[in-house]
């Protein structure tokens, strides 16, 4: 089993739709979780950290399910500008603040 | 501007040549990282450093070397021993204070072997 797994997509959704992505992780000792956004041929940029209680930032909501070892990202009222690849990242226990990244889920928002 | 600067943005290498990718940060971060990204494989960790004059191998260190002589700088050398070096290389940094610190990325360097 891969350390971090994501459905590669693409998810093609109409503008205004709600879309959700999941990301599973294998190491139950992981403590820190993140969602990054990556545009084509650009560097990943932090979208949001994922907290145990769940957190929201505008149209974006992130949740953590420790029992089932996955994190999720919900995007409401999708915009054309949300089209990108969304990477989840999970820290590796053992110090050094090292992250393992998923391969990303591609989102395409269409008119 | 605060941030992470990588150079060059595009680099072409002939087979058998070593090339060095520069990474400088002015965020006063303790930790620096090099990741490689290939299509469909996500980001893979090459090397990381938590403190000056110390660094550790990541998952795919073979064919690469690094140095950390200054806190701000973490150059990566892609040696001729790296058999498939064509990729997008990303330098990153983070604070180590506390836990769960965010990793920030530079704009990346595209390396192509010709």
């Amino acid at each position: 089993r891969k350390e971090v797994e994501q459905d590669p997509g693409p998810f093609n959704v109409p503008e205004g739709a709600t879309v959700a992505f999941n990301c599973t992780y294998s190491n139950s000792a992981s403590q820190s979780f993140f969602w990054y956004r990556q545009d084509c041929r650009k560097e990943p940029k932090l979208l949001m950290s994922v907290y145990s209680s769940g957190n929201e930032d505008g149209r974006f909501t992130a949740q953590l399910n420790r029992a089932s070892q996955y994190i999720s990202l919900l995007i409401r009222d999708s915009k054309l500008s949300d089209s990108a690849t969304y990477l989840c990242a999970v820290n590796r226990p053992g110090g050094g603040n090292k992250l393992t990244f998923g391969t990303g889920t591609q989102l395409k928002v269409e008119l | 501007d605060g941030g992470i600067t990588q150079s060059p943005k595009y680099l072409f290498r002939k087979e058998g040549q070593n090339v060095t990718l520069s990474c400088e940060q002015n965020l006063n971060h303790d930790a620096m990282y090099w990741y490689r990204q290939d299509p469909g494989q996500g980001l893979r960790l090459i090397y990381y450093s938590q403190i000056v004059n110390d660094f550790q191998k990541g998952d795919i260190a073979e064919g690469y070397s690094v140095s950390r002589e200054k806190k701000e700088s973490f150059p990566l050398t892609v040696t001729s021993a790296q058999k498939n070096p064509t990729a997008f290389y990303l330098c990153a940094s983070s604070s180590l204070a506390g836990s769960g610190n965010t990793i920030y990325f530079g704009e990346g360097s595209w390396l192509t072997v010709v």
Side-chain angles (χ1 to χ4, degrees), chain B residues 34-54:
Chain B
W34 276 103
Y35 284 87
R36 166 181 173 147
Q37 188 174 33
D38 297 275
Q41 294 198 46
L43 281 71
R44 292 182 289 168
L45 182 64
I46 304 172
Y47 268 100
Y48 66 101
S49 167
Q50 300 181 63
I51 194 169
V52 173
N53 292 324
D54 189 45

Side-chain angles (χ1 to χ4, degrees), chain A residues 32 36 38 43 92 97 99, chain B residues 35 37 59 94 100-101 103 106:
Chain A
S32 303
Y36 282 81
Q38 185 174 27
E43 77 276 22
R92 301 185 193 185
N97 201 39
L99 295 182
Chain B
Y35 284 87
Q37 188 174 33
D59 303 315
S94 76
N101 296 292
I103 288 180

Side-chain angles (χ1 to χ4, degrees), chain A residues 97-111:
Chain A
N97 201 39
K98 301 184 294 295
L99 295 182
T100 299
F101 286 82
T103 54
T105 297
Q106 189 179 10
L107 171 65
K108 296 181 180 180
V109 182
E110 303 164 331
L111 286 171

Side-chain angles (χ1 to χ4, degrees), chain A residues 16-79:
Chain A
T18 295
V19 62
F21 311 132
N22 283 342
C23 168
T24 59
Y25 61 95
S26 61
N27 194 328
S28 60
S30 294
Q31 295 292 325
S32 303
F33 308 89
F34 306 89
W35 282 104
Y36 282 81
R37 171 193 168 127
Q38 185 174 27
D39 292 294
C40 188
R41 299 181 68 83
K42 299 286 189 180
E43 77 276 22
K45 293 185 178 177
L46 179 71
L47 181 64
M48 55 200 307
S49 303
V50 186
Y51 303 124
S52 297
S53 55
N55 47 303
E56 187 174 307
D57 182 4
R59 298 182 292 108
F60 298 85
T61 300
Q63 295 201 314
L64 167 64
N65 185 317
R66 286 196 185 274
S68 301
Q69 292 183 210
Y70 73 87
I71 62 173
S72 63
L73 177 68
L74 180 79
I75 305 175
R76 290 181 298 278
D77 188 24
S78 300
K79 311 289 185 193

